[in-house]
Amino acid sequence: VAALLMLMGTAWLVLAGSQTIRNYGDLARFGSMLFQILAPLQLAVAIFFSALFTASSVSQEKDRKTLVLLLMTELSNFELVVGKLCASLLTVIVLLLAALPVFMSLLLVGGVNVSQILGVFAVTIASAVAAGSLGSTIALWREKTFQALAMTALSIVALFAVSEVLIYLGSDQWFGGQDLMLWAKSFSPWRSVLLATAPAAGDLSIGGFGVRPEFLFLLIASCFALLVNSVAIWRVRLWNPARTIRQTQGSGDAVADGSAAEFGA
């Protein structure tokens, strides 16, 4: 929150500090420009923090051997994966909610409406959940902390790069009666948050209904998070076979008890 306030003050000095504010239109233009600067910055921070927080949290559990203890409890796979994900994302979600009043203060300046702010935060939270799900799944899959963090960061950069390539290749092409570039933008969190800051963004026609691309991104991000977490829930005990360890320990204890009984006899 303090960083956002400092950025707002710096932006005021850079964009409007040397100019004379003659009317409310000049003030509204400053509010719109500031909103278009802060929204993508917040998105980038939320995505990388969510992914790295979840990946490092799971990796630390593996390093301390406490994940094996969790796997040997009566917790289900769903409880293990989703519970760890929610606990890791709690810090990022709290920071985003704390930043909401700062963004709402832009309404006093003008150039921004409530629907734009809520759209930006919806895209940011969906992106954070999707990135956190990816980081958690990779960390559950890989054994080494460095491997998990590196693969998570590279995967996010690759997803951004692929979306930008699709946007570039989709220029002047049409799919379903709409510009293919507009469809491709709905797959990119970066492009979606930029569209959310613009009140006059074009709509996608799906089934005869106009849908803003950032709303379609919310559906895509939710499906991606659901898919990634489903894979983690399905494979968590195969990647980390605590049941085999527990069964081996149980059979070892049984053999030890049998040997003790024979010795006593």
Side-chain angles (χ1 to χ4, degrees):
V1 176
L4 288 176
L5 293 175
M6 292 177 61
L7 286 174
M8 292 176 65
T10 303
W12 172 263
L13 294 176
V14 172
L15 299 176
S18 60
Q19 301 178 7
T20 302
I21 303 299
R22 297 183 177 87
N23 50 49
Y24 289 110
D26 294 338
L27 198 61
R29 280 192 292 272
F30 167 74
S32 178
M33 287 189 296
L34 183 59
F35 182 56
Q36 292 176 2
I37 293 173
L38 294 181
L41 180 61
Q42 176 182 250
L43 175 73
V45 172
I47 287 178
F48 282 97
F49 275 23
S50 298
L52 296 180
F53 277 178
T54 53
S56 62
S57 178
V58 174
S59 297
Q60 288 175 4
E61 291 278 2
K62 285 189 169 184
D63 291 341
R64 294 194 299 262
K65 307 300 181 181
T66 54
L67 181 62
V68 176
L69 299 178
L70 290 175
L71 291 169
M72 294 176 66
T73 63
E74 297 298 327
L75 292 174
S76 64
N77 290 2
F78 176 84
E79 293 171 338
L80 286 169
V81 174
V82 177
K84 193 63 182 173
L85 175 64
C86 293
S88 302
L89 289 176
L90 183 60
T91 302
V92 176
I93 298 300
V94 169
L95 290 176
L96 291 176
L97 294 179
L100 182 58
V102 178
F103 278 81
M104 285 295 183
S105 66
L106 295 176
L107 297 175
L108 302 175
V109 180
V112 182
N113 56 49
V114 177
S115 61
Q116 290 176 266
I117 295 176
L118 295 180
V120 164
F121 271 81
V123 171
T124 303
I125 292 175
S127 302
V129 173
S133 301
L134 178 63
S136 174
T137 301
I138 292 177
L140 288 171
W141 171 40
R142 306 306 300 173
E143 293 294 333
K144 303 297 183 180
T145 300
F146 177 77
Q147 291 180 353
L149 296 178
M151 291 184 66
T152 299
L154 290 176
S155 299
I156 293 176
V157 173
L159 289 175
F160 273 96
V162 169
S163 63
E164 292 299 320
V165 170
L166 291 176
I167 292 171
Y168 176 77
L169 295 177
S171 179
D172 298 328
Q173 299 187 27
W174 296 83
F175 176 77
Q178 294 290 330
D179 190 353
L180 186 60
M181 183 174 63
L182 195 59
W183 284 99
K185 286 182 178 180
S186 63
F187 287 84
S188 171
W190 182 266
R191 297 286 184 162
S192 296
V193 80
L194 291 178
L195 290 173
T197 61
D203 290 348
L204 291 171
S205 179
I206 301 178
F209 297 96
V211 180
R212 290 187 52 117
E214 61 268 25
F215 293 159
L216 182 59
F217 170 78
L218 297 179
L219 177 62
I220 294 172
S222 300
C223 293
F224 176 80
L226 180 62
L227 176 63
V228 170
N229 285 311
S230 298
V231 172
I233 291 170
W234 171 45
R235 301 284 298 179
V236 61
R237 293 190 185 274
L238 299 177
W239 291 331
N240 307 277
R243 287 182 175 177
T244 304
I245 296 174
R246 182 168 54 185
Q247 292 174 358
T248 303
Q249 290 178 344
S251 61
D253 293 341
V255 171
D257 293 341
S259 299
E262 292 178 0
F263 180 78

